[in-house]
Amino acid sequence: MTLDQRAPVCVLGTGLIGGSLLRAAVAAGYETFGYNRSDSGAEAARRDGFDVSGELAAVLRRAADTDALLVLAVPMPAVEHILTEIAAIAPRCPLTDVVSIKGPVADAVRKHGLEANYVGGHPMAGTAESGWAATDPELFRGAVWAVGVDEGTRAEPWTRVVRLALACGSVVVPVVADEHDQAVARISHLPHVLAEALAAAGAAGGALSLGLAAGSFRDGTRVAGTAPDLVRAICEPNAAALGQVLDETIAALITARDTLRSDGTLGDVVEAGYRGRTAYDGHARWEITGIVPGTGDWLGELHRAGRRGGVLRAL
């Protein structure tokens, strides 16, 4: 890939994920500019030498003039407003996002008539910190980046999104929106809820419990350090899928409690958890090759490959 293939990237929202993407794209050789609602956030980015403005309309006009790839990097509650402005000012720009759920974003995109140029995206990376000060150009290095292959996805914007993800150091997992949302309910949103519950239980034990707390408590509660409003914005839009996996988890915990009371054991939960963790540790990714975007059943082939654990490391 040569630099002339890297058309401009416009990042809309420069918090942890969007700001890190802005930094990573600049480091990879992209012409990159962005928008941030907070004047202080935009000013912080400018002080670090990045082209970020608080004037959304002006940023979108620039994106339209340069055919920039628009990247929605705002929490789900802010998506509607940004899409309204895109539809009015830059409706022909290719569009992706880094929001933690895909179905509701895709629905909003269709509502605004922007689906022809949209490709869903979700880099599986982050920290408990937030804001421009927490951004890191290496955040996506070695991470998995989910990229949508839903029916109707067009090859040209899809290729641009994949090139950006690869240039940021990620590997790409092709996925459709519904399966993505079901999966992240289990491996991202549920861990947030469990971490909150664990942190609350530990703190309820008072100074002694917190004074004795060590690695297992620290590791299990890491994401509970995320700002509560951000946790809600991440998890609550995926309510149906998260509710289902919470039911499963609560049932497993109730069974463990009941067997502990009846015969002094935790039952199957320990073995099941050990099997799950070792399955994660032993999970092997394999490289998807030989599928050409825009030819044959390329979306279906990528979807099936992603479900089997395949990743894209190059185009």
Side-chain angles (χ1 to χ4, degrees), residues 216-255:
S216 58
F217 183 78
R218 180 192 65 242
D219 295 345
T221 60
R222 179 183 65 82
V223 295
T226 306
D229 286 348
L230 183 56
V231 174
R232 294 188 182 99
I234 290 170
C235 297
E236 290 173 356
N238 202 19
L242 178 56
Q244 178 181 337
V245 72
L246 275 170
D247 284 343
E248 295 176 16
T249 304
I250 290 168
L253 291 173
I254 289 172
T255 298

Side-chain angles (χ1 to χ4, degrees), residues 50 57 154 189 248 260 278 310:
F50 293 89
R154 293 174 53 243
H189 302 162
E248 295 176 16
L260 189 63
T278 53

Side-chain angles (χ1 to χ4, degrees), residues 36-127:
N36 196 67
R37 182 186 64 175
S38 162
D39 290 337
S40 60
E43 175 59 27
R46 288 195 296 270
R47 283 198 304 268
D48 286 346
F50 293 89
D51 188 355
V52 177
S53 169
E55 299 293 331
L56 179 57
V59 169
L60 290 176
R61 284 193 293 269
R62 179 178 173 186
D65 290 343
T66 58
D67 189 36
L69 171 63
L70 298 175
V71 183
L72 276 171
V74 296
M76 188 65 210
V79 164
E80 184 74 23
H81 168 67
I82 301 292
L83 288 177
T84 298
E85 296 301 308
I86 292 172
I89 300 171
R92 293 182 178 83
C93 283
L95 173 65
T96 188
D97 72 287
V98 292
V99 181
S100 66
I101 51 169
K102 300 276 66 74
V105 177
D107 290 343
V109 166
R110 283 190 291 270
K111 173 184 172 182
H112 289 276
L114 298 168
E115 65 273 18
N117 292 316
Y118 172 69
V119 179
H122 181 202
M124 303 299 298
T127 72

